[in-house]
């Protein structure tokens, strides 16, 4: 058995090596999966660049989501899962291997007919979008919802979930092809945030007296501070990432991103009735694995009911891992990328 190990931080062509993999039997609450394909996540890029504190030590195996077949089941697994089932699963790293063990509550049965780039999106992107849009906030008809990086994996699903709840959706993306895509999935106000300051565009549309109800923000830095000013009473920012850190090359520019978030005191949130919500699915996976099962199942159900359609961004072979990583880092991708063994 083999795995793609992260051996060097930084440039992609020196980052990964295929090495032998040896793996233990599954723990009592784990299942062992023979991996057909694994998904790529923006956090993998951050880990490769050395910007992700939770990443495994080198040489280590990245990877948050896989599709494949259950090979073995731990003694305390209590679920409908059986050996031979085809599943999508969230993995707390280890996904870039041909075999991986994961908590049984992170695996959900799916049809093997679904293309692997679409299917891997159910775990990290689907689970995260569902947790944010269905569990961290309630979206009501008529709400004004802003989704940043709306053409991305998490973003495009957040758009579809907000739309299905009856919201007016504002979405940001960086190219005209991405704007066309987000318009096609229901964004009412697509904004190219390379060309326009998103906050100015939205303020113009909303006028002085109305504010945004919800913002889904994986960008971080100034984007949060600007978004906060756009919120109306009762408005919430759900913060799930800090992609802007990856474009900050030097320590001083990284500090600039951190400073850009702004300083928020609870009392300052109280008076205008605004909220900031932080989401980290790894912490949820550690502390509440049953929530993981609920949100991945929720995303799969939404797909089966025709509410969401994850965008497959491409299926790469393992020899093209570096190409896929580079495309994700350089913002060339739309939707979810998967790598097949
Ligand atoms: N907290 C959690 O538990 C959790 C879970 C999953 C994902 N996330 C976060 O959610 C975000 C989206 O993840 P994803 O895997 O679905 O990736 P993705 O959105 O498919 O890809 C990242 C996109 O972010 C946008 N972006 C904005 N600023 C960027 C920058 N400075 N550098 C690179 N890209 C930038 C780009 O879209 P444009 O070209 O349109 O700007 C890019 O295509 C990431 O920040 C990720 O870390 C968090």
């Amino acid at each position: 058995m083999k795995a793609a190990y992260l051996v060097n931080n930084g440039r992609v062509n020196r980052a990964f090596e295929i090495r032998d993999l040896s793996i233990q039997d599954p723990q009592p609450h784990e299942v062992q999966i023979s991996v057909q394909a694994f998904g790529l996540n923006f956090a993998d890029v951050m880990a490769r660049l050395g910007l992700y504190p939770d990443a495994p030590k080198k040489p280590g195996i990245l990877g948050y989501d896989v599709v494949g077949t259950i090979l073995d089941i731990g003694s305390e697994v209590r679920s409908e899962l059986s050996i031979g089932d085809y599943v999508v699963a969230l993995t707390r790293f280890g996904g870039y291997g041909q075999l991986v063990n994961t908590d049984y509550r992170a695996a959900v049965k799916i049809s093997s007919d679904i293309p692997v780039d679409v299917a891997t999106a159910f775990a990290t992107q689907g689970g995260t979008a569902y947790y944010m849009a269905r569990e961290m906030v309630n979206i009501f008809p008529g709400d004004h919802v802003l989704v940043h990086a709306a053409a991305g994996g998490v973003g495009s699903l957040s758009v579809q979930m907000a739309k299905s709840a009856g919201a007016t959706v504002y979405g940001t993306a960086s190219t005209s092809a991405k704007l066309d895509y987000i318009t096609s999935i229901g964004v009412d106000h697509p904004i190219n945030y390379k060309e326009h300051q998103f906050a100015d565009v939205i303020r113009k549309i909303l006028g002085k007296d109305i504010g945004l109800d919800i913002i889904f923000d994986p960008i971080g830095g100034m984007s949060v501070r600007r978004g906060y000013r756009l919120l109306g009473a009762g408005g919430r920012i759900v913060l799930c990432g800090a992609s802007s850190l990856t474009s900050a090359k030097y320590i001083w520019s990284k500090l600039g991103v951190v400073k850009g978030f702004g300083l928020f005191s609870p009392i300052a949130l109280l008076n205008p009735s605004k909220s900031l919500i932080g989401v980290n699915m790894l912490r949820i996976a550690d502390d509440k694995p049953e929530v993981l099962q609920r949100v991945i199942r929720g995303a799969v159900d939404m797909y089966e009911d025709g509410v969401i359609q994850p965008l497959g961004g491409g299926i790469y072979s393992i020899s093209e891992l570096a190409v896929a990583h580079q495309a994700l880092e350089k913002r060339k991708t739309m939707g979810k990328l998967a790598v097949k063994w």
Side-chain angles (χ1 to χ4, degrees), residues 291-314:
V291 172
L292 217 54
Q293 188 176 43
R294 192 169 69 219
V295 297
I296 299 172
R297 178 83 261 160
V300 172
D301 287 348
M302 278 185 151
Y303 168 78
E304 287 172 354
D305 293 343
V307 177
I308 58 166
Q309 172 61 56
L311 177 67

Side-chain angles (χ1 to χ4, degrees), residues 40-43 46 52 124-125 128 132 148-155 172-175 178 193-194 217-219 239-248 279-282 327-336:
L40 293 195
N41 288 282
F42 199 74
M46 298 192 73
Y52 201 77
T124 315
Q125 279 72 23
T128 305
M132 294 197 300
H148 283 296
V154 175
T172 64
S174 69
T175 65
K178 290 184 178 188
Y193 61 151
K194 288 283 180 189
D217 189 332
I219 310 290
L239 181 66
C240 73
S243 315
S244 51
L245 269 180
T246 54
S247 356
V279 165
N280 180 348
M281 294 311 285
L282 287 187
L328 190 57
E329 180 184 353
K330 297 296 174 202
R331 309 164 78 145
K332 304 269 187 252
T333 64
M334 281 201 281
K336 179 78 173 179

Side-chain angles (χ1 to χ4, degrees), residues 26 29-33 70 72-73 77 81 100-102 104 107:
H29 59 285
E30 287 182 335
V31 291
Q32 185 168 90
I33 298 169
I70 295 189
D72 198 1
I73 283 192
V77 171
L81 297 174
V100 67
N101 294 335
T102 195
Y104 75 92

Side-chain angles (χ1 to χ4, degrees), residues 71-304:
L71 270 190
D72 198 1
I73 283 192
S75 56
E76 284 171 29
V77 171
R78 304 273 172 269
S79 82
E80 41 150 38
L81 297 174
S82 339
I83 289 173
D85 282 347
Y86 188 78
V87 292
V88 58
L90 196 89
T91 52
R92 208 192 188 303
F93 303 111
Y96 288 20
Q98 288 180 320
L99 275 184
V100 67
N101 294 335
T102 195
D103 192 293
Y104 75 92
R105 288 156 292 193
V108 169
K109 248 162 77 162
I110 54 166
S111 156
S112 58
D113 296 339
I114 305 170
V116 293
D117 50 353
V118 173
T120 48
F122 293 133
T124 315
Q125 279 72 23
T128 305
Y130 188 96
Y131 183 66
M132 294 197 300
R134 290 295 166 104
E135 304 214 349
M136 290 296 95
V137 295
N138 281 323
I139 306 176
F140 294 98
D143 276 355
H144 294 272
V145 176
L146 167 61
V147 180
H148 283 296
V154 175
S156 57
L157 294 175
S158 305
V159 165
Q160 294 171 62
M161 290 180 194
K163 227 26 222 178
S164 75
T168 298
V169 181
Y170 304 71
T172 64
S174 69
T175 65
S176 56
K178 290 184 178 188
L179 293 175
D180 287 347
Y181 167 64
I182 64 176
T183 307
S184 78
I185 57 170
V187 168
D188 301 280
H189 300 286
I191 302 164
N192 186 330
Y193 61 151
K194 288 283 180 189
E195 289 175 1
H196 305 284
Q197 181 51 254
F198 77 86
D200 295 343
V201 177
I202 293 173
R203 180 49 68 213
K204 216 177 219 169
I205 297 167
L206 286 172
K208 270 200 326 287
D209 300 330
I210 305 177
L212 292 174
D213 296 291
I214 296 161
I215 302 176
F216 296 112
D217 189 332
I219 310 290
M222 282 299 288
S223 156
V224 173
R225 200 192 302 199
R226 292 188 177 124
Y228 183 80
R229 292 194 202 116
L230 288 171
L231 291 179
R236 291 138 283 166
I237 298 184
V238 187
L239 181 66
C240 73
S243 315
S244 51
L245 269 180
T246 54
S247 356
K249 287 213 168 65
Y250 306 104
I251 186 73
W252 51 266
S253 45
K254 290 188 200 315
L255 288 174
V257 172
V258 173
K259 207 171 145 214
F261 276 90
L263 285 175
F264 295 91
S265 107
I267 198 81
L269 299 174
L270 191 59
N271 201 32
S273 195
K274 298 184 182 183
S275 313
L276 293 169
I277 300 166
V279 165
N280 180 348
M281 294 311 285
L282 287 187
R283 291 287 164 272
I284 304 293
D286 287 344
D287 294 355
K288 297 186 168 183
E290 65 285 356
V291 172
L292 217 54
Q293 188 176 43
R294 192 169 69 219
V295 297
I296 299 172
R297 178 83 261 160
V300 172
D301 287 348
M302 278 185 151
Y303 168 78
E304 287 172 354

